Amino acid sequence: MANRKRVVILGGGFAGVYTAMALEKAIGRDDDIEIVLVSRENYLVFQPMLPEVISGSIGITDVVSPIRRLLHRTELHMREVQGIDLERKVVIASPGFRPQPHLIPYDHLVLALGNVTDFRGMRGLAEHAFPFKNLVDALNLRNHAIRAIRESAIEPDPEFRRELLTFVVAGGGFSGVEAIAELNDFVRRVARWFPTIDEKEIRVVLLHAGDRILPEMAPHLALFAQKILAQRGVEIRFNTKLEAATSDAAILAGGERIATRTLVSTVPAFPHPLVDALPVAKGRGGRIKATAEMQVEGSSNVWALGDCALVPMINGELAPPTAQHAIRQANVAAHNIVATVRGGQRRTFTFTGLGKMGSLGHRSAVAEMFGIKISGLLAWFMWRTIYLAKMPGWGRRVKVASAWALDLILPPDIVELKFGESRGVSQAHFEPGEEVFHEGDVADQIYVVLKGQAEMVQRRNGADELVAILGPGDWFGETALMNETTRYVTVRCRQALDVLSLPKRDFQALSSNLPDLRKTFDAIKDRRGLQKAGVSAGGGAPAV
Ligand SMILES: Cc1cc2nc3c(=O)[nH]c(=O)nc-3n(C[C@H](O)[C@H](O)[C@H](O)COP(=O)(O)OP(=O)(O)OC[C@H]3O[C@@H](n4cnc5c(N)ncnc54)[C@H](O)[C@@H]3O)c2cc1C
């Protein structure tokens, strides 16, 4: 269809997936609108239940739903969005199997990228604190907690043992409170499986900057939550700020150290770097200013919603970053995109919120719904019923309900999953005739030849011209990496070739932190600048 419009949605969270779902519904059987969703995962994470992944009261994959099952007419591109060119109306996404940039042109763009955990400005947190935002964070924390307990069970040094059995969470908002409630229950239940550990040895500490936790809730509900947590052995430190972290301590403002090997931080999230770089109007917290119709201020074909946007509500306030608001915004955005393409009446965002609920684990919760404030077992039952009903797909609901039922009678699962470490330096082998990379490919690695021989060629006047022959000890691939460009040349294996490869991120970290290495590469880069014109140097010195 000649006039077919393409709507490209960035982000596979509540805002993005629900926009696609609402668009599919609104479009009906017509094919005048095509939907593309770009997300780095192929699943939607049901974040309200993420804390339960720590304790394992629901299965690891029960908290996620495959996007393909939720969307039937949407094309899913499982890629990392790397750039957005608003002028050319193109999204630049990461390469797939072939190292070539993935360009996605659009007519309408929906920004639903959420926000990111960012420990900027907090010493040592990026290195030593666990974030708590997505499925991988929850799994990492769960595995780490099991490891700390298992290690403490065989640790003879009492001081180190105490450190291993101390668990600290910073942040007394919803996610911090829900995370500590689940973590506390979990570590105490797991420890029962280790006869050498006395439960009294376990210390679980919640650090909170204010004078009461859950500041979003009515004071008596926050006090109820505090009492429940304290009864279960959680030590709450009020008016206490986490300032820094090391591998073995949480360091508080004022200098106090809490010796621990498990520090979780639910510090406020930051705007997404892609959003940060966009030339659009932004407001509080760097979020994109959207209208009540979900359109980005000053634009006719860019829409923004969810945690990355500031959307005005009819009560004059800005919508809070919650899933319930993102879902309602998605419906409005989808309706308005269709109305813009086909012509029709637009809608504005009128939702103000259904209420707030926080689970305290162990059959207790606090809730404020429709003006009613409740706590304890009834709130917990309401929490579970409402979130179960909101989970996308019947299959998931049945699984979660059965997991909850079984959790009441079965002991905790203490399987410790070992994930592969991040790859860092790796080795690769090429057979004669194979290309290591091709001119124009995305530059993502630097290489060192260990064994064999390769030729470096450049396409000039329609033919391949030899630039250099590479042998053991030669390196290649650094110039395009340093210049942030695509490959200038093609490197092809001549004799069976073994190379070491170092990913771009690691190479950049090394070259920017080792001044001598940086100087060496800069000198090589200058020298190689000449060779770009075609002077062959051999010996690992060509420009690539
Ligand atoms: C632990 C926790 C508990 C919560 N509990 C509740 C609750 O009980 N009730 C409630 O209403 N809200 C809750 N929230 C908040 C709620 O989950 C968020 O408001 C909601 O998820 C926002 O949706 P979003 O789509 O805007 O962002 P996100 O859910 O963050 O989704 C953003 C998506 O964009 C993708 N993405 C980001 N960058 C890129 C990129 N460069 N390339 C490709 N894809 C990218 C991400 O992978 C993700 O899929 C909770 C949040 C957390 C962390």
Side-chain angles (χ1 to χ4, degrees):
M1 187 172 180
N3 271 340
R4 204 162 188 226
K5 299 289 180 205
R6 183 187 268 185
V7 180
V8 174
I9 303 167
L10 306 186
F14 281 101
V17 170
Y18 277 81
T19 302
M21 278 161 76
L23 270 173
E24 286 192 356
K25 218 163 154 190
I27 292 168
R29 291 179 178 276
D30 299 333
D31 65 353
D32 55 336
I33 299 176
E34 174 190 358
I35 317 164
V36 174
L37 179 89
V38 192
S39 178
R40 46 162 96 95
E41 297 98 15
N42 76 342
Y43 53 77
L44 167 72
V45 183
F46 195 75
Q47 279 168 333
M49 284 186 190
L50 205 54
E52 304 217 10
V53 172
I54 304 175
S55 62
S57 59
I58 57 175
I60 290 168
T61 54
D62 292 348
V63 79
V64 296
S65 304
I67 293 176
R68 287 222 177 270
R69 290 244 187 100
L70 303 173
L71 301 173
H72 308 288
R73 295 186 47 182
T74 301
E75 196 176 282
L76 174 64
H77 294 217
M78 199 184 134
R79 296 287 168 91
E80 175 87 23
V81 178
Q82 295 180 328
I84 302 165
D85 189 333
L86 294 179
E87 257 180 42
R88 285 169 53 220
K89 293 205 243 171
V90 158
V91 170
I92 301 117
S94 57
F97 272 101
R98 286 180 303 161
Q100 286 153 6
H102 183 63
L103 304 179
I104 313 166
Y106 64 83
D107 297 295
H108 285 267
L109 179 70
V110 179
L111 300 165
L113 289 159
N115 52 30
V116 291
T117 306
D118 189 336
F119 294 137
R120 228 179 303 180
M122 299 184 80
R123 298 182 330 264
L125 258 73
E127 294 83 357
H128 305 294
F130 287 88
F132 192 67
K133 174 135 176 74
N134 56 43
L135 183 62
V136 176
D137 298 338
L139 287 177
N140 281 340
L141 179 57
R142 174 189 162 78
N143 282 329
H144 177 86
I146 298 172
R147 180 174 172 220
I149 292 171
R150 123 175 111 63
E151 284 294 318
S152 71
I154 53 169
E155 176 55 53
D157 174 355
E159 212 170 300
F160 187 43
R161 188 177 156 100
R162 251 195 311 278
E163 201 172 296
L164 287 170
L165 289 173
T166 299
F167 302 86
V168 181
V169 175
F174 278 109
S175 47
V177 166
E178 291 187 340
I180 202 151
E182 292 291 333
L183 184 64
N184 182 56
D185 285 354
F186 182 58
V187 293
R188 290 179 194 280
R189 284 175 78 195
V190 170
R192 285 180 211 144
W193 289 86
F194 295 85
T196 55
I197 302 175
D198 179 352
E199 204 197 306
K200 291 193 198 81
E201 292 180 276
I202 296 174
R203 188 178 174 208
V204 180
V205 188
L206 178 64
L207 308 175
H208 183 56
D211 55 10
R212 72 170 172 92
I213 59 169
L214 296 178
E216 307 89 340
M217 297 212 98
H220 78 274
L221 292 180
L223 288 176
F224 175 84
Q226 278 166 208
K227 204 172 101 197
I228 289 287
L229 290 178
Q231 274 170 3
R232 299 212 190 117
V234 176
E235 189 183 319
I236 307 178
R237 302 281 301 265
F238 297 103
N239 302 312
T240 305
K241 269 193 175 165
L242 176 69
E243 195 168 84
T246 64
S247 64
D248 58 6
I251 297 162
L252 314 183
E256 187 189 341
R257 285 168 58 92
I258 300 180
T260 179
R261 293 279 161 162
T262 313
L263 170 63
V264 185
S265 177
T266 57
V267 288
F270 275 77
H272 198 287
L274 281 170
V275 167
D276 235 4
L278 275 182
V280 295
K282 282 168 223 141
R284 201 177 61 202
R287 290 160 71 192
I288 300 167
K289 280 191 180 170
T291 64
E293 294 179 347
M294 245 48 74
Q295 204 155 24
V296 171
E297 280 188 7
S299 156
S300 60
N301 68 334
V302 186
W303 310 76
L305 65 154
D307 283 7
C308 71
L310 285 176
V311 179
M313 297 195 292
I314 44 170
N315 60 10
E317 291 174 19
L318 292 165
T322 72
Q324 51 172 314
H325 288 84
I327 291 171
R328 270 65 176 202
Q329 289 166 3
N331 291 334
V332 176
H335 174 92
N336 290 343
I337 291 169
V338 175
T340 308
V341 173
R342 293 182 179 165
Q345 196 75 30
R346 288 195 185 193
R347 273 169 48 190
T348 53
F349 181 62
T350 52
F351 179 76
T352 47
L354 295 175
K356 300 164 197 144
M357 292 189 290
S359 166
L360 304 172
H362 222 61
R363 279 165 253 176
S364 195
V366 281
E368 273 183 64
M369 298 290 288
F370 313 110
I372 305 164
K373 302 178 178 67
I374 49 168
S375 55
L377 184 66
L378 188 60
W380 176 78
F381 187 71
M382 199 160 112
W383 184 96
R384 287 209 156 175
T385 313
I386 290 178
Y387 280 124
L388 196 61
K390 290 201 172 300
M391 286 205 93
W394 273 104
R396 281 280 172 283
R397 283 178 216 156
V398 171
K399 275 182 155 189
V400 168
S402 348
W404 278 340
L406 290 171
D407 187 55
L408 296 174
I409 44 171
L410 295 178
D413 188 345
I414 50 174
V415 169
E416 186 186 334
L417 298 172
K418 291 232 172 200
F419 301 115
E421 299 296 318
S422 78
R423 277 185 58 210
V425 177
S426 58
Q427 214 168 309
H429 175 81
F430 297 89
E431 284 294 306
E434 283 182 353
E435 287 180 354
V436 180
F437 53 69
H438 193 85
E439 211 171 324
D441 283 351
V442 171
D444 54 358
Q445 311 263 342
I446 175 175
Y447 300 88
V448 179
V449 179
L450 295 176
K451 239 174 30 194
Q453 196 181 66
E455 64 184 14
M456 181 178 289
V457 296
Q458 195 170 42
R459 200 90 185 139
R460 290 175 197 155
N461 305 321
D464 277 347
E465 267 190 45
L466 185 67
V467 178
I469 301 290
L470 303 164
D474 290 340
W475 60 88
F476 59 94
E478 81 291 347
T479 309
L481 237 63
M482 289 169 93
N483 291 346
E484 299 272 355
T485 63
T486 47
R487 299 291 186 197
Y488 298 131
V489 294
T490 298
V491 172
R492 197 177 293 129
C493 170
R494 280 188 160 195
Q495 292 167 10
L497 184 73
D498 286 334
V499 293
L500 269 185
S501 69
L502 181 70
K504 178 178 175 173
R505 202 192 44 216
D506 298 353
F507 168 67
Q508 284 172 337
L510 272 180
S511 62
S512 55
N513 289 305
L514 294 175
D516 285 346
L517 189 68
R518 177 87 216 178
K519 272 188 227 148
T520 310
F521 277 118
D522 278 339
I524 294 162
K525 197 173 98 184
D526 290 343
R527 199 148 39 95
R528 291 176 183 185
L530 292 173
Q531 286 134 24
K532 234 186 110 185
V535 182
S536 171
V544 285

